[in-house]
Short mmCIF file of all heavy atoms in Angstrom, two decimals:
data_model
loop_
_atom_site.label_atom_id
_atom_site.label_comp_id
_atom_site.label_asym_id
_atom_site.label_seq_id
_atom_site.Cartn_x
_atom_site.Cartn_y
_atom_site.Cartn_z
N GLN H 845 31.80 -49.90 25.80
CA GLN H 845 31.88 -49.72 27.31
C GLN H 845 30.50 -50.04 27.82
O GLN H 845 30.37 -51.21 28.34
CB GLN H 845 32.16 -48.21 27.59
CG GLN H 845 33.68 -47.89 27.21
CD GLN H 845 34.06 -46.34 27.34
OE1 GLN H 845 33.30 -45.65 27.87
NE2 GLN H 845 35.14 -46.07 26.89
N GLU H 846 29.50 -49.20 27.81
CA GLU H 846 28.24 -49.51 28.50
C GLU H 846 27.08 -49.22 27.73
O GLU H 846 25.87 -49.68 28.14
CB GLU H 846 28.20 -48.67 29.74
CG GLU H 846 28.26 -47.21 29.54
CD GLU H 846 28.17 -46.43 30.82
OE1 GLU H 846 28.64 -46.98 31.92
OE2 GLU H 846 27.63 -45.40 30.88
N TRP H 847 27.12 -48.76 26.52
CA TRP H 847 25.91 -48.42 25.68
C TRP H 847 25.48 -49.67 25.00
O TRP H 847 26.45 -50.33 24.31
CB TRP H 847 26.11 -47.35 24.62
CG TRP H 847 26.10 -45.94 25.32
CD1 TRP H 847 26.09 -45.56 26.64
CD2 TRP H 847 26.25 -44.67 24.50
NE1 TRP H 847 26.21 -44.30 26.81
CE2 TRP H 847 26.29 -43.64 25.54
CE3 TRP H 847 26.19 -44.46 23.22
CZ2 TRP H 847 26.29 -42.42 25.18
CZ3 TRP H 847 26.30 -43.03 22.88
CH2 TRP H 847 26.39 -42.11 23.85
N ALA H 848 24.21 -50.08 24.97
CA ALA H 848 23.68 -51.25 24.23
C ALA H 848 23.33 -50.76 22.79
O ALA H 848 22.66 -49.78 22.68
CB ALA H 848 22.54 -51.87 24.98
N PRO H 849 23.65 -51.48 21.75
CA PRO H 849 23.25 -51.02 20.41
C PRO H 849 21.82 -50.97 20.27
O PRO H 849 21.40 -49.94 19.48
CB PRO H 849 24.02 -52.11 19.49
CG PRO H 849 24.18 -53.29 20.40
CD PRO H 849 24.34 -52.86 21.80
N LEU H 850 21.00 -51.85 20.67
CA LEU H 850 19.63 -51.72 20.45
C LEU H 850 19.01 -50.43 21.23
O LEU H 850 18.13 -49.69 20.63
CB LEU H 850 18.90 -52.92 20.81
CG LEU H 850 17.37 -53.04 20.41
CD1 LEU H 850 17.26 -52.86 18.91
CD2 LEU H 850 16.73 -54.32 20.83
N ASP H 851 19.50 -50.20 22.29
CA ASP H 851 19.11 -48.99 23.07
C ASP H 851 19.47 -47.68 22.33
O ASP H 851 18.68 -46.82 22.25
CB ASP H 851 19.64 -48.95 24.54
CG ASP H 851 19.15 -50.03 25.42
OD1 ASP H 851 18.01 -50.52 25.07
OD2 ASP H 851 19.82 -50.31 26.44
N LEU H 852 20.60 -47.80 21.71
CA LEU H 852 21.08 -46.56 20.93
C LEU H 852 20.26 -46.38 19.78
O LEU H 852 19.87 -45.23 19.45
CB LEU H 852 22.62 -46.75 20.47
CG LEU H 852 23.18 -45.79 19.53
CD1 LEU H 852 23.18 -44.37 20.29
CD2 LEU H 852 24.63 -46.08 19.08
N LEU H 853 19.78 -47.48 19.05
CA LEU H 853 18.89 -47.27 17.86
C LEU H 853 17.62 -46.76 18.43
O LEU H 853 16.95 -46.04 17.56
CB LEU H 853 18.78 -48.66 17.17
CG LEU H 853 20.03 -49.18 16.46
CD1 LEU H 853 19.77 -50.63 15.80
CD2 LEU H 853 20.44 -48.11 15.39
N ALA H 854 17.10 -47.26 19.36
CA ALA H 854 15.76 -46.82 19.93
C ALA H 854 15.82 -45.23 20.22
O ALA H 854 14.80 -44.69 20.02
CB ALA H 854 15.35 -47.60 21.16
N VAL H 855 16.96 -44.85 20.71
CA VAL H 855 16.98 -43.37 20.97
C VAL H 855 17.23 -42.64 19.56
O VAL H 855 16.65 -41.59 19.36
CB VAL H 855 18.26 -43.06 21.78
CG1 VAL H 855 18.57 -41.64 22.02
CG2 VAL H 855 17.90 -43.62 23.28
N LEU H 856 18.11 -43.14 18.68
CA LEU H 856 18.32 -42.36 17.35
C LEU H 856 17.05 -42.44 16.50
O LEU H 856 16.93 -41.54 15.82
CB LEU H 856 19.51 -43.08 16.76
CG LEU H 856 20.92 -42.91 17.38
CD1 LEU H 856 22.01 -43.67 16.63
CD2 LEU H 856 21.31 -41.35 17.56
N LEU H 857 16.26 -43.44 16.52
CA LEU H 857 15.25 -43.58 15.62
C LEU H 857 13.90 -43.34 16.37
O LEU H 857 13.45 -44.26 17.17
CB LEU H 857 15.17 -44.97 15.00
CG LEU H 857 16.42 -45.25 14.18
CD1 LEU H 857 16.46 -46.80 13.85
CD2 LEU H 857 16.62 -44.41 13.10
N PRO H 858 13.22 -42.19 16.36
CA PRO H 858 12.00 -41.94 17.07
C PRO H 858 10.98 -42.90 16.67
O PRO H 858 10.81 -43.37 15.54
CB PRO H 858 11.67 -40.51 16.74
CG PRO H 858 12.42 -40.29 15.34
CD PRO H 858 13.64 -41.06 15.38
N PRO H 859 9.98 -43.19 17.60
CA PRO H 859 8.89 -44.22 17.29
C PRO H 859 7.71 -43.53 16.57
O PRO H 859 6.78 -44.29 16.26
CB PRO H 859 8.52 -44.60 18.67
CG PRO H 859 8.78 -43.40 19.55
CD PRO H 859 10.00 -42.82 19.06
N ASP H 860 7.71 -42.30 16.27
CA ASP H 860 6.63 -41.49 15.59
C ASP H 860 6.89 -41.25 14.15
O ASP H 860 6.39 -40.18 13.59
CB ASP H 860 6.32 -40.19 16.48
CG ASP H 860 7.61 -39.28 16.36
OD1 ASP H 860 8.68 -39.78 15.95
OD2 ASP H 860 7.38 -38.22 16.91
N ARG H 861 7.55 -42.23 13.43
CA ARG H 861 7.75 -42.03 12.03
C ARG H 861 6.66 -42.37 11.09
O ARG H 861 6.65 -42.30 9.85
CB ARG H 861 9.01 -42.70 11.57
CG ARG H 861 10.27 -42.16 12.11
CD ARG H 861 11.56 -42.75 11.58
NE ARG H 861 11.56 -43.23 10.24
CZ ARG H 861 11.99 -42.28 9.25
NH1 ARG H 861 12.51 -41.05 9.65
NH2 ARG H 861 11.98 -42.55 8.06
N ALA H 862 5.61 -42.99 11.59
CA ALA H 862 4.43 -43.34 10.82
C ALA H 862 3.92 -42.22 9.99
O ALA H 862 3.86 -41.14 10.67
CB ALA H 862 3.38 -44.04 11.70
N PRO H 863 3.49 -42.36 8.81
CA PRO H 863 3.36 -43.66 8.11
C PRO H 863 4.56 -44.17 7.31
O PRO H 863 4.63 -45.09 6.50
CB PRO H 863 2.28 -43.40 7.07
CG PRO H 863 2.52 -41.93 6.72
CD PRO H 863 2.93 -41.29 8.04
N PHE H 864 5.72 -43.43 7.65
CA PHE H 864 7.08 -43.94 7.05
C PHE H 864 7.64 -45.09 7.71
O PHE H 864 7.39 -45.26 8.98
CB PHE H 864 8.09 -42.64 7.06
CG PHE H 864 7.60 -41.47 6.42
CD1 PHE H 864 6.98 -40.38 7.17
CD2 PHE H 864 7.45 -41.37 5.10
CE1 PHE H 864 6.56 -39.28 6.69
CE2 PHE H 864 7.08 -40.23 4.43
CZ PHE H 864 6.54 -39.22 5.27
N PRO H 865 8.40 -45.92 7.00
CA PRO H 865 9.01 -47.05 7.57
C PRO H 865 9.98 -46.55 8.78
O PRO H 865 10.54 -45.44 8.69
CB PRO H 865 9.91 -47.78 6.43
CG PRO H 865 9.17 -47.22 5.17
CD PRO H 865 8.71 -45.94 5.53
N VAL H 866 10.16 -47.47 9.77
CA VAL H 866 10.96 -46.96 10.85
C VAL H 866 12.41 -46.84 10.23
O VAL H 866 13.24 -46.13 10.96
CB VAL H 866 10.96 -47.99 11.96
CG1 VAL H 866 11.50 -49.33 11.66
CG2 VAL H 866 11.55 -47.44 13.26
N ILE H 867 12.85 -47.64 9.39
CA ILE H 867 14.09 -47.51 8.82
C ILE H 867 13.94 -47.52 7.30
O ILE H 867 13.84 -48.68 6.75
CB ILE H 867 15.19 -48.62 9.23
CG1 ILE H 867 15.30 -48.54 10.77
CG2 ILE H 867 16.58 -48.43 8.58
CD1 ILE H 867 16.24 -49.67 11.26
N ASP H 868 14.01 -46.48 6.64
CA ASP H 868 13.94 -46.50 5.19
C ASP H 868 15.35 -46.57 4.63
O ASP H 868 16.40 -46.57 5.23
CB ASP H 868 13.06 -45.30 4.62
CG ASP H 868 13.60 -43.98 5.05
OD1 ASP H 868 14.78 -43.83 5.49
OD2 ASP H 868 12.95 -43.00 5.06
#
Side-chain angles (χ1 to χ4, degrees):
Q845 295 175 7
E846 59 181 31
W847 286 7
L850 189 56
D851 291 342
L852 176 61
L853 290 177
V855 169
L856 292 177
L857 303 173
D860 55 354
R861 285 179 53 85
F864 303 103
V866 67
I867 300 178
D868 57 19

